[in-house]
Amino acid sequence: MGLRLYNTLTRTKEPFQPIDADQVRMYVCGPTVYDFAHIGNARPVIVFDVLYRLLRHLYGDNHVTYVRNITDVDDKINERAARDYPALPLNEAIGKVTHETAAQYHKDVAALGCLPPTHEPRATEHIAGMRDIIERLVATGFAYVAEGHVLFSPAAMDSAGGMIPRYGALANRSLEEMIAGARVDVAPYKREATDFVLWKPSTEGEPGWPSPCGIAGLGRPGWHIECSAMSKHFLGETFDIHGGGIDLVFPHHENEVAQSCCAHGTARMANVFMHNGFLQVEGQKMSKSLGNFVTVDELLKDWPSEVVRFSMLKTHYRQPIDWTARAMEDSHVALRTFATWAKNPTRDVEPSAEFLEALADDLNTPRAIAELHRLVSTARQAATSLAERGPGARLALLTDADTLAAMQLTRSLQLIGIDIRAYDRDWFERRSTVNIEKIEPPKEKIEALITARNAARAAKNWAESDRIRDELAAMGIQLKDSKGADGQTVTTWEVKR
RNA sequence: GGCCUCGUGGCGGAAUGGUUACGCAGCGGACUGCAAAUCCGUGUAUUCCGGUUCGAUUCCGGACGAGGCCUCCA
């Protein structure tokens, strides 16, 4: 079955038809670099990483171009820079903020297991491209110059006709509605309340570049124009997929479409617009004032990245997601099960067909995850008889079909960016280094108690044996008795969860 | 105020005009000296009120509830 994607432009699920199957082109709006990435920022990064991986699987690794920008010119950045580095000249402070934030962002997304995009342009590298688009928009009457600003006119767009789409078509609202609903302070130089800024003048000390359209003095771009310029540069006037968070539908993507289509005389900027749903934290909107702002950096201190990623994918990308500690625990349990049963492929194995089909159905990751559990049941069917139940004995007993399922499990997880072996190692290290260092008493005492308990057990002194086990339990240590390969009793322990 | 999305079991979460996946938890069992771990089995749900239909959780209308956008935001 072919790939089907939900398109915000048409509000339906459509078969995906790339413009050029030899080179699928996708653009995702990246971060404005002024603060640590939070889990809300992480959602589109992870979701579109899964899509990127799926597209690479379907069309070939070298046949997908993925562009995700870094917006490093924005008034929020200026404010942050002035606040954090008051002693520095503004432009120098801005440079520090954008470089530090971008470096942190790269660290975070790499830790989350996301592939780097094919291109990751910075807005400041593409000012010339923005000026070109602005010049064209003014020349063709879609934009005008006023008091050193350049403004885009949605009204002009709507009277253009021809191929040019209606302004508001993406967000599904009319110009009249937007005028009626405008609560914005309307700047005096705007002809209409809905006009938006393409270029604005910079004062002394603010970041500035030579202005377009004969405007004297330095200026800087408005918010939306950078994506129009960068997508054009790397992907052309019309490309396949444009993604981002649902909050970007309006005004960001609507305005990008307006700028791009009017400047290029095209009907579409991208054929498919995809938007991920919003995220809440423990049932509440995430906000700095509520103090429930969860950064990726902090989250990764507490959890293996695979747990974060899996938690994100347990909910379909278009649904709202409630980010809870409980959900993280659940993901952890599921990954433990997968780690127990996944087998490293010893030959070429594809992810299971049902798994691929679920992903191809508009990235139905919950359905895909259900398939992972089915692979687990298949894999363990051979190992259900009691006699062969020793730890480690299970995988050896798998039949060919079960082994295939166990290998498909690994491959399927890999396709959504989860390296189950890396997770297993991370989990083990976190337990053995982080937790065990912290616990009292130290390891030696635990070992000594276990030895004493096993001596009591050998003597069938159950009262003493149970007393020691309870003593350890009170310390947070869980014992696990099992039989080794030679039939000898082996007692292992772990920190109680 | 305008526009939009969503409401499925104890929890998470798919799907569907006609026995409501899957996971977690719970319960029963196997195993175990007893536990833990593991395995087997299993109960429970479509917010409410109308309408269309042979049949609605699914389609339509309304109510209630949650969330989003309209202003920086993934």
Side-chain angles (χ1 to χ4, degrees), chain A residues 216-290:
Chain A
L218 302 181
R220 59 192 192 281
W223 177 28
H224 320 291
I225 193 74
E226 82 277 17
C227 292
S228 288
M230 291 185 278
S231 63
K232 158 90 184 310
H233 180 86
F234 290 100
L235 302 175
E237 294 178 353
T238 302
F239 49 95
D240 295 304
I241 299 170
H242 192 146
I246 195 165
D247 56 315
L248 292 184
V249 173
F250 193 89
H252 189 53
H253 286 169
E254 190 70 57
N255 289 354
E256 284 181 24
V257 169
Q259 295 159 354
S260 292
C261 290
C262 290
H264 307 135
T266 49
R268 283 187 166 184
M269 178 192 192
N271 283 330
V272 182
F273 275 80
M274 294 177 67
H275 297 97
N276 61 271
F278 232 65
L279 176 149
Q280 288 184 280
V281 172
E282 304 287 354
Q284 287 190 299
K285 179 171 176 159
M286 179 169 58
S287 74
K288 284 175 181 163
S289 56
L290 285 170

Side-chain angles (χ1 to χ4, degrees), chain A residues 310 334 337-338 368-378 409:
Chain A
F310 188 77
T337 305
F338 295 151
I369 288 168
E371 166 66 4
L372 297 180
H373 289 289
R374 254 173 249 121
L375 290 173
V376 169
S377 351
T378 304
L409 180 59

